[in-house]
Amino acid sequence: MTQEELVEIIRKAEKEQSVVLDLSHRNITQLPREIGRLRNLFVLYLGSNQLRELPREIVHLKNLTQLDLNSNQLTEFPKHIVQLKNLFRLDLSFNQVAELPREIVQLKNLTILDLTSNQMNRLPTEIIHLKKLKILELDQNPLTFPPMEIVARGLPAVTNYLKKSDKGGQILYEAKLMIVGQGGVGKTCLMERLIQNRYSEKQATTQGIRIQSWEINAPDEEKTRMTLNVWDFGGQEIYHATHQFFLTRHSLYVLVWDARQEDEHDRIDYWLNIIDTFAEDSPILIVMNKSDERTRELNLSGLKQRYPQIIASGKVSAKNGTGIEILQKLIETQAWELPLMGTFWPSSWLAVRSTLKATPDYHIPYDNYLQICKKLDIEESEAKTLSRYLHDLGIVLHFQDDALLKDTIILKPGWGTDAVYKVLDANVVQKRNGILHNSDLPKIWTDKALYPPDKYAAILRLMANFELAFPFDKGNRHIVTELLPPRKGEYEWNPEGCLQFEYHYEFLPAGLITRLIVRMHKSLIERGGKKLCWREGAYFKHGESQAMVRINAYTKIARIQISGNERREFLSMIRSHFDALHKTIRKIRFKEKIPCGCNPGCDYRFDYNFLLKCEEKGKITQTCEVFVEEVNVKKLLDTIEKSEVREQRIREKTENKYSIELDPSVHVKSLMTENKSEFGEPQHKKLYQKFQKIITSVINPKKKS
């Protein structure tokens, strides 16, 4: 649109005393000064243009209440806007604004501020003085002040954080570095070379997890010092199920491999899957160690297609130091970019951290932690954010999303992890296929200062909460499920006529079935004083019904077979446990399947959720892709659960979808009442009536992006 055409539109709006002007999607690069003549304007849409600035004449739009500048090319906040005292909705989303000026505080009537998708890394504390602000959108900004975890909790959390920052605090340059990979690839030797610049041929195999602190320079001009909390994970397979609990988001991962081992055990994909499943989108560095002995190339481009969080791949030798300096620089650069690096901690947060560090206990109840926070004016919602920070940094362990673990905060992570791994490493427990006697504990936890007998019960309870073990024999013995025998014992089981249900996983995390066994240990079938469970499955009972649940690590399929009169109820119970387990795994991907059963020997499986959709759409049958026979959808689903259960679920879904929302006119009235005195009575009653009609767009703003 030419400037002449634009000026003509503005003149027409001036003549008609327009209260709304829509200039969006016009490819405007410069707004003419004539815009200042529209003294009656209440709403101005300028979205989806190419504006880089606004003319000073914008200040003459004294009646303006809504200004939409979304999807332009603004790199700076148009400071003239702060003179528009009646503005109560401002949309600057999808620009490149890097900073919000302190003068924003002059917009006393501002109710909605949309800053989505800009380049801001901090907000001015003056935001707290915008008393009428109700909605603040900040997604897709590289914010560190306040951090995005605070932003995600909403405007009250943001204003509370900013208020506390005025009372002092400190920027912490701290993050967590995780070193993972198979046993024997030299992870600990690499860590020692990185941190201490030393190497030992006699480095002991890491048992469990080794934790160290590492101070390095940041890649900034001021040479800021960063602290990395380094976790070195033992690579033995027996540890894999337990490691998953400690793979945190917002961390940097170094995946170490050895060309000699990878010929026989191609485990790179396994570890990449583990990180991807449990650590969200944390960056990954792939490092081939022992390059002085043997080297091998990776298909890095292929790996990056499947795992885009891979940053780089390199070769080092911890033994002679080759490639170490390059790896250090790469770690510095990537650690500097981590979300928690450079976060401002208010004084109250620092005080909580100091209090926890000074506490002599190795773990405390979550309620005790909340009491500490409350004394420092930190409410529970903020305390949760802080505990998540402390957990992600590796300072404490608090699994707040886990129903069994959320009530305990482990103050000394090394203490808790070391105790658990010592049990997994105990030869006496391994020889008994997972049977742990209470009398074994003094020989396993030999350090009496760390593990006095009065702490045994707490550690065993912790193992149960980690779903690694369960008590039996009146609590005198425990079964450590990761040490169960690999094959099932003798037990008559006929799958004919059983209800069957399956989970097909894209990637099967270690320990899924052993954790299920711990959850359901009270339902385990027992014969001759032995629990009928093994490393890949178990037999359970419920009333007069029995079930076999087993997993095939090769096919990645968990199969449930149930016989007896209460099999549907029993399946519902087992599925609820699977659901709970799945919720603890951030990115687990699977499909639920039902065997077809149209003919003896038919091995076709229907997708359970697809069948549910078919039933909702009124589809009567679906075709078996093996025998090409039509199978009744309802009959197939009825084997899994009663039709009344499905109907109730559909009703609840429909009610939620069409639930009646609050009448927006109520909110409109509220806004009108709240802002009328500030706006003053407009000069023309007719204009005020027009304003009443268009103010509803504040509730559902017109977005053109």
Side-chain angles (χ1 to χ4, degrees):
M1 173 174 284
T2 66
Q3 285 289 295
E4 290 77 14
E5 291 172 327
L6 196 52
V7 170
E8 186 58 35
I9 292 174
I10 293 172
R11 285 173 178 166
K12 183 181 178 183
E14 180 185 15
K15 183 178 180 180
E16 295 175 355
Q17 295 188 331
S18 298
V19 293
V20 178
L21 180 59
D22 190 348
L23 294 175
S24 54
H25 292 275
R26 304 294 181 100
N27 201 30
I28 301 170
T29 57
Q30 186 176 1
L31 196 62
R33 294 177 177 179
E34 284 80 358
I35 194 71
R37 296 177 182 176
L38 304 182
R39 306 300 173 91
N40 296 318
L41 211 58
F42 281 109
V43 179
L44 177 57
Y45 292 114
L46 292 169
S48 298
N49 283 298
Q50 301 296 317
L51 292 170
R52 296 182 181 276
E53 60 181 359
L54 294 182
R56 184 175 184 82
E57 285 73 13
I58 199 84
V59 301
H60 299 308
L61 307 184
K62 300 297 185 183
N63 284 319
L64 203 64
T65 62
Q66 295 189 67
L67 178 57
D68 190 338
L69 287 162
N70 86 85
S71 304
N72 276 280
Q73 302 296 319
L74 298 169
T75 57
E76 293 184 359
F77 183 90
K79 289 191 176 180
H80 306 319
I81 291 177
V82 300
Q83 297 184 45
L84 304 178
K85 305 301 183 184
N86 288 327
L87 205 63
F88 74 90
R89 175 179 170 257
L90 175 59
D91 188 346
L92 286 165
S93 61
F94 298 95
N95 282 278
Q96 290 93 46
V97 178
E99 187 178 3
L100 202 62
R102 293 179 175 179
E103 290 81 2
I104 191 77
V105 72
Q106 295 177 31
L107 297 177
K108 300 295 184 183
N109 286 298
L110 201 59
T111 305
I112 300 173
L113 177 57
D114 193 342
L115 299 167
T116 303
S117 192
N118 277 280
Q119 297 300 316
M120 287 181 292
N121 55 31
R122 57 186 294 117
L123 291 180
T125 55
E126 283 75 11
I127 286 280
I128 64 178
H129 300 301
L130 296 176
K131 301 300 183 184
K132 294 187 177 181
L133 194 63
K134 298 291 189 297
I135 298 173
L136 177 61
E137 300 288 352
L138 292 165
D139 286 346
Q140 300 173 54
N141 278 281
L143 279 169
T144 57
F145 181 82
M148 286 309 296
E149 283 78 4
I150 296 291
V151 172
R153 286 175 36 224
L155 181 58
V158 170
T159 53
N160 185 45
Y161 177 90
L162 294 177
K163 284 177 184 176
K164 288 183 177 178
S165 69
D166 270 350
K167 299 177 182 178
Q170 180 183 348
I171 297 176
L172 293 189
Y173 297 98
E174 189 170 8
K176 191 175 179 185
L177 173 66
M178 318 283 268
I179 302 180
V180 300
Q182 284 301 105
V185 297
K187 296 185 298 297
T188 303
C189 290
L190 177 60
M191 183 174 75
E192 290 296 312
R193 176 64 79 180
L194 285 168
I195 299 176
Q196 306 291 343
N197 194 24
R198 66 187 183 194
Y199 176 81
S200 172
E201 290 278 5
K202 299 179 180 179
Q203 185 67 56
T205 300
T206 300
Q207 295 182 317
I209 299 174
R210 185 175 301 185
I211 304 172
Q212 290 192 50
S213 183
W214 181 22
E215 278 201 9
I216 57 175
N217 287 327
D220 64 338
E221 294 180 1
E222 288 82 20
K223 289 300 178 186
T224 306
R225 296 288 284 175
M226 298 186 293
T227 299
L228 296 183
N229 301 313
V230 186
W231 288 47
D232 168 23
F233 286 72
Q236 293 88 328
E237 197 159 337
I238 193 66
Y239 300 144
H240 291 182
T242 313
H243 284 347
Q244 297 165 12
F245 286 97
F246 311 115
L247 300 178
T248 48
R249 60 185 190 153
H250 300 335
S251 304
L252 174 60
Y253 285 80
V254 175
L255 170 53
V256 186
W257 66 291
D258 173 358
R260 298 176 310 168
Q261 288 198 7
E262 288 301 317
D263 284 340
E264 298 177 9
H265 309 288
D266 189 4
R267 303 293 282 176
I268 290 178
D269 261 315
Y270 170 82
W271 284 103
L272 289 173
N273 263 311
I274 283 286
I275 298 168
D276 183 55
T277 302
F278 289 91
E280 297 184 0
D281 298 321
S282 294
I284 305 169
L285 304 176
I286 303 179
V287 179
M288 190 190 78
N289 193 19
K290 305 183 184 180
S291 63
D292 56 309
E293 299 177 16
R294 186 173 179 180
T295 186
R296 179 181 164 193
E297 298 302 320
L298 276 181
N299 179 9
L300 187 61
S301 60
L303 288 174
K304 278 189 171 184
Q305 285 181 353
R306 285 177 285 150
Y307 309 100
Q309 60 268 53
I310 295 173
I311 302 301
S313 172
K315 300 175 182 178
V316 302
S317 169
K319 184 176 182 179
N320 61 29
T322 304
I324 294 297
E325 187 175 344
I326 295 173
L327 178 58
Q328 284 178 330
K329 294 294 183 185
L330 200 53
I331 289 173
E332 288 172 6
T333 302
Q334 292 305 314
W336 184 248
E337 298 298 325
L338 289 172
L340 301 187
M341 184 65 69
T343 298
F344 180 87
W345 285 48
S347 298
S348 55
W349 287 25
L350 296 170
V352 170
R353 180 174 177 172
S354 297
T355 302
L356 296 179
K357 186 177 181 179
T359 302
D361 298 320
Y362 293 105
H363 61 93
I364 59 172
Y366 179 59
D367 286 343
N368 289 18
Y369 164 76
L370 290 180
Q371 290 173 14
I372 293 170
C373 290
K374 193 169 184 179
K375 289 178 182 177
L376 292 161
D377 194 30
I378 296 176
E379 297 301 321
E380 184 170 2
S381 60
E382 185 181 353
K384 280 186 177 180
T385 300
L386 177 55
S387 79
R388 194 180 291 278
Y389 265 58
L390 294 167
H391 176 88
D392 286 348
L393 289 173
I395 296 163
V396 304
L397 294 176
H398 182 215
F399 306 94
Q400 58 178 254
D401 296 325
D402 190 293
L404 296 174
L405 295 169
K406 66 181 180 181
D407 294 329
T408 301
I409 290 187
I410 300 173
L411 302 178
K412 312 289 191 293
W415 173 84
T417 57
D418 187 58
V420 170
Y421 286 113
K422 283 186 182 301
V423 174
L424 294 176
D425 284 326
N427 286 329
V428 63
V429 185
Q430 292 176 1
K431 288 177 181 178
R432 295 198 205 106
N433 288 321
I435 305 297
L436 170 67
H437 294 204
N438 286 358
S439 57
D440 298 328
L441 298 178
K443 302 169 190 173
I444 295 173
W445 297 323
T446 54
D447 189 331
K448 304 304 178 189
L450 278 178
Y451 307 111
D454 64 347
K455 296 293 183 186
Y456 289 177
I459 299 172
L460 290 171
R461 195 160 53 247
L462 180 66
M463 289 189 67
N465 288 345
F466 273 121
E467 295 171 337
L468 297 173
F470 65 86
F472 74 110
D473 188 19
K474 298 180 180 179
N476 293 314
R477 292 186 291 173
H478 282 70
I479 290 180
V480 183
T481 51
E482 280 300 309
L483 300 177
L484 285 168
R487 293 181 178 83
K488 66 176 181 176
E490 293 297 323
Y491 184 70
E492 290 185 11
W493 181 260
N494 183 7
E496 292 296 325
C498 283
L499 179 158
Q500 295 194 59
F501 193 85
E502 297 175 357
Y503 292 93
H504 293 229
Y505 296 91
E506 287 187 30
F507 169 70
L508 184 63
L512 196 68
I513 289 297
T514 52
R515 291 178 64 191
L516 179 78
I517 292 170
V518 175
R519 281 178 175 264
M520 295 185 62
H521 73 270
K522 292 182 179 179
S523 299
L524 282 168
I525 296 175
E526 190 172 327
R527 289 290 183 272
K530 292 184 178 180
K531 304 288 184 181
L532 297 186
C533 54
W534 65 103
R535 205 177 303 164
E536 294 183 347
Y539 292 103
F540 301 101
K541 63 179 179 179
H542 172 68
E544 299 299 317
S545 295
Q546 295 187 351
M548 181 177 73
V549 182
R550 64 184 305 176
I551 202 156
N552 186 315
Y554 178 74
T555 62
K556 300 188 284 291
I557 295 174
R559 181 169 288 121
I560 304 169
Q561 296 176 340
I562 307 177
S563 65
N565 296 329
E566 300 172 280
R567 47 192 177 182
R568 286 188 297 196
E569 292 81 1
F570 199 4
L571 176 62
S572 178
M573 179 198 303
I574 295 171
R575 286 181 63 202
S576 70
H577 286 295
F578 268 99
D579 289 345
L581 285 170
H582 293 156
K583 287 177 182 176
T584 68
I585 304 171
R586 289 191 180 99
K587 287 174 69 173
I588 193 163
R589 293 178 286 271
F590 62 90
K591 289 185 177 179
E592 297 168 299
K593 302 271 190 174
I594 305 175
C596 172
C598 67
N599 283 282
C602 178
D603 61 358
Y604 183 67
R605 302 294 189 259
F606 283 103
D607 185 294
Y608 169 69
N609 286 292
F610 175 70
L611 291 179
L612 289 176
K613 289 178 183 177
C614 288
E615 186 177 53
E616 286 185 35
K617 297 289 185 181
K619 301 287 185 182
I620 305 299
T621 64
Q622 281 298 312
T623 306
C624 168
E625 293 185 15
V626 174
F627 287 94
V628 198
E629 291 193 11
E630 293 301 305
V631 179
N632 187 282
V633 171
K634 183 179 185 304
K635 285 184 179 179
L636 203 55
L637 288 172
D638 283 347
T639 64
I640 302 303
E641 60 186 353
K642 294 178 180 178
S643 59
E644 306 92 84
V645 174
R646 302 196 300 276
E647 289 166 5
Q648 177 63 26
R649 191 162 57 237
I650 292 171
R651 278 196 299 272
E652 290 173 357
K653 187 195 297 186
T654 304
E655 287 170 2
N656 289 336
K657 184 176 181 181
Y658 298 106
S659 59
I660 298 173
E661 298 180 355
L662 178 66
D663 183 353
S665 65
V666 175
H667 190 47
V668 171
K669 282 182 181 179
S670 172
L671 282 174
M672 290 291 292
T673 302
E674 185 177 344
N675 291 289
K676 185 175 178 181
S677 61
E678 298 288 342
F679 296 143
E681 196 69 31
Q683 293 179 350
H684 304 288
K685 187 175 181 181
K686 190 175 181 181
L687 291 179
Y688 188 71
Q689 290 170 344
K690 285 185 179 181
F691 173 65
Q692 285 180 301
K693 290 180 181 179
I694 58 95
I695 196 173
T696 52
S697 63
V698 177
I699 312 304
N700 296 299
K702 183 174 183 179
K703 186 71 111 178
K704 300 192 174 184
S705 57

